[in-house]
């Protein structure tokens, strides 16, 4: 069956299973925004991770809304295990940042 009207450039794309558009090769200019977003993710994860590792052990940790709600909350908030869990989340964020940075560096040559 022949097309009856004008076609847009996207209609000439390679078709995959069930008539869906197939994978299209990504050019260098299209990869730059992805690298920029990945770099922002790395910076964001490092910053959040660093804050979560350090902040629970500073004196300003006790001066917040959640610690003043109820005496039980204060006891929970000042618990060393809870502070360690928050610092553990920070370590996980730093690990994610390192993995993303490794992935960026690994695929930079492609």
């Amino acid at each position: 069956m022949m097309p009856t009207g004008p076609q847009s450039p996207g209609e000439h794309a390679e078709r995959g299973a069930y008539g869906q558009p197939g994978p299209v090769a990504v050019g260098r200019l299209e990869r730059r925004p992805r690298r920029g977003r990945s770099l922002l993710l790395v910076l964001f994860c490092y910053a959040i991770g660093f804050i979560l590792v350090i902040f629970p052990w500073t004196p300003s940790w006790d001066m917040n809304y959640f610690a003043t709600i109820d005496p039980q909350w204060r006891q929970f908030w000042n618990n060393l295990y809870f502070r360690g869990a928050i610092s553990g989340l920070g370590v996980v964020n730093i690990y994610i940042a390192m993995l993303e940075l490794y992935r960026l560096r690994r695929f930079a040559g492609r």
Side-chain angles (χ1 to χ4, degrees), residues 3 13 22 25-27 31 39 42 46-47 51 76 78-80 93 95 97-99 101 103 106-107:
V26 178
R31 280 189 238 160
L39 188 60
V42 167
Y46 267 127
I51 289 169
F76 178 72
N78 291 333
N79 188 347
L80 295 179
N93 272 308
Y95 180 73
M98 285 191 294
L99 285 178
L101 192 62
R103 188 189 67 81
R106 184 174 168 206
F107 293 113

Side-chain angles (χ1 to χ4, degrees), residues 70-89:
D70 190 19
Q72 284 183 329
W73 275 98
R74 179 178 280 295
Q75 183 181 5
F76 178 72
W77 198 258
N78 291 333
N79 188 347
L80 295 179
Y81 291 112
F82 180 71
R83 289 181 179 197
I86 298 297
S87 292
L89 287 175

Side-chain angles (χ1 to χ4, degrees), residues 9-50:
E11 292 183 34
H12 293 293
E14 184 179 316
R15 295 287 176 174
Y18 304 110
Q20 300 297 325
V24 178
V26 178
R28 282 183 180 253
L29 292 177
E30 293 174 359
R31 280 189 238 160
R32 285 187 183 179
R34 289 183 187 174
R35 287 182 185 162
R37 285 188 300 249
S38 294
L39 188 60
L40 284 176
L41 176 68
V42 167
L43 293 174
F44 179 74
C45 285
Y46 267 127
I48 294 296
F50 184 74

